[in-house]
């Protein structure tokens, strides 16, 4: 195998930003003309994040092939041209499940199955299996060095460093240099301990990314290098920035990509970073701003809507606008019976979700957007709520709702397909991954895309019940997108409104900072025009 391997680990505390670090390194190497891939190895025992609470784990990112993955794969796809899939994310649960299944089949010929070599060997197989046809593979190890859960992964990557030539493997460790306000001093001791813990396992880091809120002077870099056995020019400050899209250029300025290719004995062209410079300029110099209300169920953790958040930012960057996002708890809207928090915003977006909590708050916000001509964008559950709101207040279908909220509801506008109901496994009831849609030629959504045949990623188990489509169409609701194979509703819209679109899929998963998704771009543009109109009216 000729692929160069870069392992990204983290120490001291969690949430340091290993995903952004890995994605930024990948962006720099891709800018140098290298072909690469990225993997995330997660230490939790869940088979995948699909059944995990978004307020604990963050969003579930979905790939084209229908794999439910860690949100860091979203960073990988946004920062690079890599298209991720099943081979790009492995968990402890998946690893152990595979090894146990092999043992049950007798594949180990009666041997005692152990963490070493059986678990670690399978981890190495997963890593090597994802490296075909690329120059560089970046492998991010989830968790924090010192956690018991991540030890098999760390042992596996230690073994890889032993198995392969030294210039084929690089260890990059992200750590923390905290500022102690009372002492008015940056402290290196947490980093020293973190590296020592890594070295106890048998891994000597080649490069340190030092997360800090201010620059590291020469003396600090020398001290860190001395106590961690890392060369001074491999101690790279990872400074906090207002936007994650500033990170790749900062790393390049600090010489990170040059150090990587030096250590891996690679030859590349100089990186082409003009597009990143233009992007950062758009981030720092918007011409105006607007505010979008995102009415959700998991607003206590912004990472629960990470791709959605970034897609709104991307649309703003494409239009040179700063998008301020006001996350509003749908349950509070429902309990307070007051949509006042929505009235200050220029557009209203309702994202996906599961369960009945906060549903009536979302319906109230949609009704306000429809009646007051406020740009509205509904995604997945948001589209379903738009159909329910229209049915109740326009089509006269009083009491209409979803079988998700009430299995015995008589007017079940939203229901599961018959095939889904037969599934016993909760994950098996989901429609996951990329599905095609055919758009009506004269529709607003087709105009936004500039085409009538699209493919988008899905993650949901309930669909619009086709039984009620004729009645809703008669009342004026436009079903502007359909899946041609399954005859399922993919998009709805209404006429005589500045922007009112709902989609069953998740367009946010395919948005990139250099290529904003057309639906988000259209929504932000309509919302900005609404803001200007309101301003002139005053």
């Amino acid at each position: 195998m000729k692929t160069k391997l870069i392992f990204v680990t983290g120490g001291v505390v969690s949430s340091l930003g290993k995903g952004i670090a890995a994605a930024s390194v990948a962006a720099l190497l891709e800018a140098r003309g290298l072909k690469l891939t990225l993997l995330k190895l997660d230490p939790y025992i869940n088979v995948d994040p699909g059944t995990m609470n978004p307020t604990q784990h963050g969003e579930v990112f979905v790939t084209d092939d229908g794999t439910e993955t860690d949100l860091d794969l979203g960073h990988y796809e946004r920062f690079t041209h890599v298209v991720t899939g099943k081979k790009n994310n492995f968990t402890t649960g998946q690893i152990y499940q595979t090894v146990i299944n092999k043992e049950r089949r007798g594949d180990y010929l009666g041997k005692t199955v152990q963490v070493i070599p059986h678990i670690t060997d399978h981890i190495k197989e997963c890593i090597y299996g994802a490296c075909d046809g690329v120059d560089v593979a970046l492998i991010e190890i989830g968790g924090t060095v010192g956690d018991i859960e991540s030890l098999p992964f760390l042992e596996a990557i230690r073994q890889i460093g032993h198995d392969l030539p030294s210039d084929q493997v690089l260890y990059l460790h992200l750590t923390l240099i905290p500022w102690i306000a009372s002492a008015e001093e940056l402290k290196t001791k947490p980093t020293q301990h973190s590296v020592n813990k890594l070295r106890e396992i048998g891994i000597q880091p080649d490069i340190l990314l030092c997360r800090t809120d201010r620059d590291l002077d020469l003396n600090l870099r020398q001290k860190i290098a001395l106590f961690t056995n890392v060369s001074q020019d491999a101690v790279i400050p990872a400074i906090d920035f207002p936007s994650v899209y500033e990170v790749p250029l900062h790393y390049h300025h600090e010489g990170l990509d040059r150090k990587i290719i030096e250590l891996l004995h690679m030859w590349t062209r100089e990186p082409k970073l003009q597009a990143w410079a233009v992007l950062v300029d758009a981030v720092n110099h918007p011409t105006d701003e607007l505010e979008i209300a995102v009415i959700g169920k998991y607003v206590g953790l912004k990472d629960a809507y990470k791709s959605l958040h970034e897609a709104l930012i991307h649309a703003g960057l494409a239009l040179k606008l700063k998008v301020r996002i006001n996350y509003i708890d749908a349950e509070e809207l429902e309990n307070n019976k007051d949509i006042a928090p929505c009235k200050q915003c220029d557009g209203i977006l309702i994202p996906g979700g599961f369960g009945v909590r906060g549903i009536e708050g979302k319906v109230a916000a949609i009704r306000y957007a429809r009646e007051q001509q406020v740009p509205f964008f509904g995604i997945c559950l948001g589209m379903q709520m738009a159909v329910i709101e229209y049915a109740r207040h326009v089509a006269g279908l009083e009491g209409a709702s979803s079988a998700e909220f009430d299995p015995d509801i008589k007017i079940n506008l939203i229901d599961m397909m018959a095939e889904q109901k037969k599934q016993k496994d909760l994950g098996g009831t989901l429609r996951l991954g990329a599905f095609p849609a055919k758009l009506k030629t004269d529709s607003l959504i087709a105009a936004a895309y500039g085409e009538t045949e699209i493919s988008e990623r899905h993650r949901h188990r309930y669909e619009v019940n086709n039984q009620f489509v004729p009645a809703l169409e008669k009342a004026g609701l436009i079903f502007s997108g359909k899946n041609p194979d399954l005859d399922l509703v993919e998009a709805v819209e209404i006429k005589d409104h500045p922007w009112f679109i709902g989609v069953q899929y998740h367009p946010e998963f395919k948005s990139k900072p250099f290529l904003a998704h057309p639906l988000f771009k259209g929504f932000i543009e309509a919302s900005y025009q609404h803001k200007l109109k309101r301003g002139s009216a005053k």
Side-chain angles (χ1 to χ4, degrees):
M1 186 186 73
K2 297 181 179 180
T3 303
K4 306 285 188 176
L5 304 178
I6 300 175
F7 294 104
V8 181
T9 58
V12 184
V13 295
S14 60
S15 301
L16 277 183
K18 293 193 301 297
I20 294 295
S24 298
V25 171
L28 291 175
L29 297 180
E30 193 175 74
R32 286 179 172 269
L34 297 172
K35 186 176 181 181
L36 52 88
T37 191
L38 298 101
L39 285 76
K40 175 70 182 289
L41 306 183
D42 275 309
Y44 52 75
I45 298 176
N46 304 65
V47 171
D48 60 48
T51 57
M52 297 169 70
N53 191 322
T55 57
Q56 292 185 10
H57 183 265
E59 80 166 4
V60 177
F61 187 79
V62 178
T63 60
D64 276 349
D65 64 7
T67 305
E68 295 177 289
T69 73
D70 184 79
L71 62 81
D72 279 331
L73 272 71
H75 296 315
Y76 303 163
E77 288 201 2
R78 285 189 286 272
F79 277 62
T80 71
H81 292 91
V82 173
V83 178
T84 61
K86 186 175 183 178
K87 67 179 182 179
N88 298 93
N89 192 197
F90 295 95
T91 68
T92 293
Q94 291 171 355
I95 299 294
Y96 273 81
Q97 187 178 63
T98 300
V99 171
I100 290 170
N101 288 341
K102 285 183 177 181
E103 185 275 330
R104 292 289 82 193
R105 291 196 306 265
D107 292 6
Y108 297 117
L109 303 176
K111 294 179 181 178
T112 301
V113 180
Q114 298 175 291
V115 173
I116 303 172
H118 301 98
I119 295 297
T120 51
D121 279 354
H122 186 57
I123 293 171
K124 291 193 287 185
E125 287 175 15
C126 292
I127 293 172
Y128 293 146
C131 294
D132 289 342
V134 298
D135 301 311
V136 180
L138 286 99
I139 301 97
E140 176 190 347
I141 310 299
T144 306
V145 170
D147 293 345
I148 191 170
E149 294 91 346
S150 59
L151 283 176
F153 291 115
L154 294 173
E155 170 59 21
I157 68 172
R158 181 201 68 78
Q159 291 179 20
I160 290 175
H162 177 268
D163 296 341
L164 299 179
S166 59
D167 66 349
Q168 198 171 341
V169 178
L170 185 147
Y171 297 103
L172 189 155
H173 189 55
L174 182 66
T175 184
L176 179 68
I177 308 290
W179 171 260
I180 306 301
S182 59
E184 295 186 344
E185 187 179 6
L186 287 167
K187 291 294 185 180
T188 65
K189 193 65 71 177
T191 290
Q192 294 177 44
H193 284 307
S194 181
V195 172
N196 284 340
K197 197 69 180 177
L198 200 58
R199 292 169 70 182
E200 286 176 11
I201 298 168
I203 297 172
Q204 167 63 49
D206 300 293
I207 296 176
L208 293 181
L209 287 180
C210 301
R211 187 71 188 269
T212 174
D213 64 353
R214 62 203 70 205
D215 200 6
L216 304 178
D217 62 30
L218 181 60
N219 289 334
L220 272 177
R221 294 195 197 196
Q222 290 174 337
K223 180 179 180 181
I224 294 168
L226 177 64
F227 283 97
T228 61
N229 201 32
V230 173
S231 63
Q232 183 182 312
D233 63 347
V235 177
I236 309 292
I239 300 173
D240 299 343
F241 284 100
S243 170
V244 294
Y245 302 117
E246 298 183 63
V247 176
L249 289 181
H250 166 71
Y251 283 168
H252 174 67
H253 175 73
E254 294 292 340
L256 176 58
D257 51 322
R258 291 191 295 275
K259 189 64 182 178
I260 288 173
I261 62 172
E262 172 195 323
L263 291 173
L264 292 176
H265 294 172
M266 301 181 77
W267 179 91
T268 74
R269 71 186 186 203
E270 283 298 306
K272 296 181 179 180
L273 297 171
Q274 182 59 29
W276 282 99
V278 171
L279 181 70
V280 170
D281 183 69
V283 168
N284 293 324
H285 302 97
T287 58
D288 204 349
E289 63 180 44
L290 73 161
E291 185 171 345
I292 299 297
V294 174
I295 302 169
K297 304 174 63 170
Y298 317 115
V299 296
L301 180 69
K302 191 173 72 173
D303 275 356
Y305 300 110
K306 189 62 180 177
S307 291
L308 181 82
H309 184 99
E310 296 305 315
L312 288 167
I313 300 300
H314 301 162
L317 291 174
L319 299 166
K320 296 187 177 180
L321 297 171
K322 182 178 180 63
V323 179
R324 297 190 180 277
I325 304 171
N326 182 9
Y327 287 97
I328 298 173
D329 192 330
E331 197 171 13
E332 289 186 9
L333 289 184
E334 180 177 314
N335 294 337
N336 298 334
K337 301 186 185 304
D338 183 8
I339 57 167
C342 302
K343 294 181 178 180
Q344 64 183 349
C345 297
D346 305 304
I348 295 174
L349 188 152
I350 296 187
F354 296 90
V356 69
R357 183 168 54 86
I359 289 304
E360 295 306 322
K362 295 185 178 186
V363 170
I366 294 169
R367 184 175 188 179
Y368 170 78
R370 180 178 57 80
E371 293 179 345
Q372 300 301 317
Q373 299 283 292
V374 178
F376 167 78
F377 191 11
I379 295 174
C380 198
L381 180 64
M383 184 205 81
Q384 296 173 1
M385 293 302 97
V387 173
I388 289 172
E389 189 281 325
Y390 198 90
R392 290 180 184 178
H393 303 123
V394 180
L397 297 174
E398 187 176 346
S401 191
S402 169
E404 180 180 7
F405 315 138
D406 183 358
D408 301 318
I409 193 76
K410 291 182 179 180
I411 307 179
N412 57 333
L413 287 180
I414 313 296
D415 203 354
M416 273 198 285
M417 296 173 63
E419 297 79 29
Q420 292 171 299
K421 292 179 180 179
K422 295 176 184 177
Q423 296 286 339
K424 295 181 180 180
D425 183 3
L426 185 64
T429 60
L430 287 169
R431 183 151 70 105
L432 284 167
F435 287 84
K438 179 75 173 178
L439 308 178
K440 286 189 175 181
T441 55
D442 58 347
S443 62
L444 177 61
I445 190 170
Y449 275 103
E451 55 186 316
T452 58
E453 295 184 5
I454 62 168
S455 176
E456 294 281 5
R457 299 176 187 178
H458 294 63
R459 183 178 183 258
H460 60 95
R461 59 173 52 90
Y462 287 85
E463 311 280 355
V464 172
N465 190 339
N466 284 336
Q467 173 187 346
F468 297 98
V469 168
L472 292 167
E473 284 183 321
K474 186 176 180 181
L477 186 62
I478 300 169
F479 292 87
S480 52
K482 280 282 190 87
N483 179 288
D485 304 315
L486 302 172
D487 191 34
L488 296 173
V489 173
E490 296 283 10
V492 300
E493 59 187 71
I494 60 175
K495 287 184 177 179
D496 304 320
H497 194 284
W499 177 277
F500 192 102
I501 288 180
V503 295
Q504 183 60 79
Y505 47 84
H506 288 270
E508 66 269 27
F509 291 147
K510 295 178 75 172
S511 183
K512 293 178 179 285
F514 303 109
L515 188 63
H517 193 284
L519 293 187
F520 281 92
K521 187 177 177 182
F523 171 61
I524 292 300
E525 191 168 19
S527 299
Y528 183 61
Q529 292 303 317
H530 179 67
K531 173 187 175 176
L532 296 179
K533 184 177 179 181
R534 284 199 306 168
S536 62
K538 293 178 181 178

